């Protein structure tokens, strides 16, 4: 039970409104993908080509989340700086994760993170996170109070509980790692070799973090976008991808790492800062850390 002075909204109430708003937006984002596969002239702050669908989802979520009572700022992968929207928690969004999957009609997602601290916030100030997965059906993993629940989102944007208190399966069976294999550091390559020598493990990599992480949440295993020889910080953004997914996976009994520590304990100084990302079963993340700690 939230104990707070009358009239001062609890974070729980604001988080509930944020999750409901993201669920309600999901069918509209999904419907808006049609006819928005083309690239636009601009690049996002990470230097990546923006698709019309990225801009569409970002503008919708900025308007809907930014207008909520209790949301103090809106930031996204598609914008250089946060938008001041009043007072309260700070919302960071990857509006359309994996938009390069739009042309081949593969999975994509929306990621949302809620921080108490001002931006750029550390992972330790995250108080809630969720991702929407645009797959054969639309689902949402939502985590707060260190617990993750899974919902089916219907065509009206209403969430229906599918899996209460999600727990990653104890016996891992899938793995997937980003980046080009020749660009993997030797120690990481050796770790992947040990994974591949285990005949209970199968490769699952779809090119959109949310689709690949949802494989891990469903079947157990490990996903990573590693530090690369050409990019020691990897590709994924801490504020918009690593912290929220790390929080969701850890709240489901899994582990996250940047190669040496939980993603939630790494500090950032820039809003769009990147970090290596590994998430999955604790046993596999521990083996990963042992393998890459000395490279
Ligand atoms: P690559 C999508 O662009 C993304 O940010 C993540 O969703 C995904 O895990 C990664 O990049 C895929 O990168 O190099 O395999 O195309």
């Amino acid at each position: 039970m939230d104990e707070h002075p009358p009239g001062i909204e609890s974070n729980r109430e604001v988080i509930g409104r944020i999750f409901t708003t993201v669920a309600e937006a999901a069918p509209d984002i999904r419907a808006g993908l049609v006819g928005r596969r083309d690239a636009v002239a601009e690049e996002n702050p990470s230097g990546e080509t923006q698709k019309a669908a990225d801009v569409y989802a970002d503008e919708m979520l900025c308007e809907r989340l930014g207008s909520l009572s209790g949301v103090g700022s809106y930031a996204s992968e598609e914008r250089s700086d946060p938008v001041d929207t009043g007072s309260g928690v700070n919302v960071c969004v990857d509006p359309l994760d994996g938009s390069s999957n739009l042309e081949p009609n593969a999975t994509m997602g929306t990621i949302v993170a809620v921080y108490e601290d001002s931006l750029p916030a550390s992972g330790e100030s995250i108080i809630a996170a969720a991702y929407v997965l645009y797959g054969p059906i639309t689902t949402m993993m939502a985590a707060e109070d260190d617990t993750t629940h899974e919902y089916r989102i219907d065509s009206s944007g209403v969430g229906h509980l599918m899996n209460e208190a999600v727990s990653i399966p104890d016996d891992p069976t899938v793995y997937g790692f980003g980046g080009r294999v020749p660009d993997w550091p030797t120690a990481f390559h050796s770790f992947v070799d040990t994974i591949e020598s285990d005949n209970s493990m199968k490769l699952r990599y779809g090119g959109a973090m949310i689709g690949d992480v949802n494989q891990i949440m469903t079947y157990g295993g490990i996903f990573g976008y590693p530090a690369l020889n050409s990019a020691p910080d990897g590709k994924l953004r801490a504020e918009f991808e690593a912290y929220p997914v790390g929080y969701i996976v850890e709240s489901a009994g899994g582990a996250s790492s940047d190669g040496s520590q939980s993603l939630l304990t790494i500090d950032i100084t820039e809003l769009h800062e990147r970090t290596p990302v590994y998430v999955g079963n604790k046993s596999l993340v521990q083996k990963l850390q042992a393998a890459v700690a000395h490279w």
Side-chain angles (χ1 to χ4, degrees):
M1 182 64 182
D2 265 330
E3 297 305 321
H4 57 274
I8 295 181
E9 265 190 336
S10 74
N11 280 339
R12 185 188 303 274
E13 290 165 320
V14 181
I15 292 166
R17 267 208 297 285
I18 291 168
F19 283 172
T20 300
T21 300
V22 172
E24 288 170 346
D28 297 333
I29 289 173
R30 192 167 190 133
L33 297 177
V34 177
R36 289 188 169 89
R37 303 197 314 180
D38 297 335
V40 296
E42 290 70 33
E43 289 185 339
N44 70 15
S46 299
E48 297 161 341
T49 302
Q50 280 184 319
K51 290 199 179 300
D54 289 312
V55 176
Y56 171 76
D58 178 48
E59 289 175 350
M60 181 194 299
L61 291 169
C62 183
E63 193 273 325
R64 296 189 187 187
L65 292 169
S67 62
L68 292 178
S69 162
V71 172
S73 73
Y74 171 92
S76 97
E77 270 195 12
E78 307 306 329
R79 299 167 186 255
S80 297
D81 301 305
V83 176
D84 184 348
T85 60
S87 64
V89 299
N90 300 296
V91 176
C92 291
V93 173
D94 181 358
L96 199 56
D97 170 70
S99 56
S100 58
N101 271 357
L102 183 51
E103 288 190 63
N105 194 30
T107 56
M108 287 169 286
T110 293
I111 310 171
V112 61
V114 184
Y115 300 98
E116 269 193 315
D117 289 359
S118 56
L119 302 181
S122 81
E124 285 168 331
S125 81
I126 197 167
I127 56 173
Y131 65 71
V132 174
L133 174 58
Y134 305 105
I137 63 172
T138 304
T139 56
M140 181 169 173
M141 286 281 185
E144 65 174 308
D145 291 337
D146 298 326
T147 305
T148 299
H149 302 302
E150 183 179 24
Y151 301 85
R152 173 180 64 81
I153 308 298
D154 69 22
S155 56
S156 305
V158 175
H160 303 270
L161 186 62
M162 270 175 43
N163 191 351
E164 187 172 8
V166 174
S167 181
I168 291 184
D170 291 334
D171 299 324
T173 58
V174 297
Y175 68 95
F177 300 112
R180 295 184 61 252
V181 176
D183 203 10
W184 288 352
T186 304
F188 178 69
H189 203 155
S190 302
F191 166 74
V192 178
D193 289 345
T194 65
I195 294 285
E196 292 185 329
S197 66
D198 177 345
N199 59 22
S200 68
M201 297 293 283
K202 294 181 291 187
L203 173 61
R204 289 290 183 273
Y205 187 80
M209 179 186 198
I210 292 312
D212 295 327
V213 167
N214 212 57
Q215 291 267 9
I216 306 305
M217 297 289 280
T218 307
Y219 293 121
I222 185 168
F223 163 82
Y225 205 104
L228 302 174
N229 292 323
S230 65
D233 290 331
K235 175 180 183 182
L236 302 178
R237 277 70 32 157
E239 199 84 288
F240 303 100
E241 295 165 306
Y243 290 156
V245 166
Y247 182 65
I248 290 165
V249 172
E250 291 189 14
S251 298
S256 77
S257 179
D258 69 339
S260 63
Q261 62 189 64
S262 164
L263 289 169
L264 300 182
T265 62
I266 65 172
D267 287 322
I268 59 174
T269 55
E270 301 292 332
L271 184 63
H272 296 276
E273 199 163 319
R274 300 175 193 266
T275 176
V277 171
Y278 312 94
V279 293
N281 288 77
K282 285 180 179 173
S283 57
L284 293 176
V285 172
Q286 285 161 0
K287 285 177 184 169
L288 173 280
Q289 287 192 159
V292 304
H294 309 300
W295 67 280

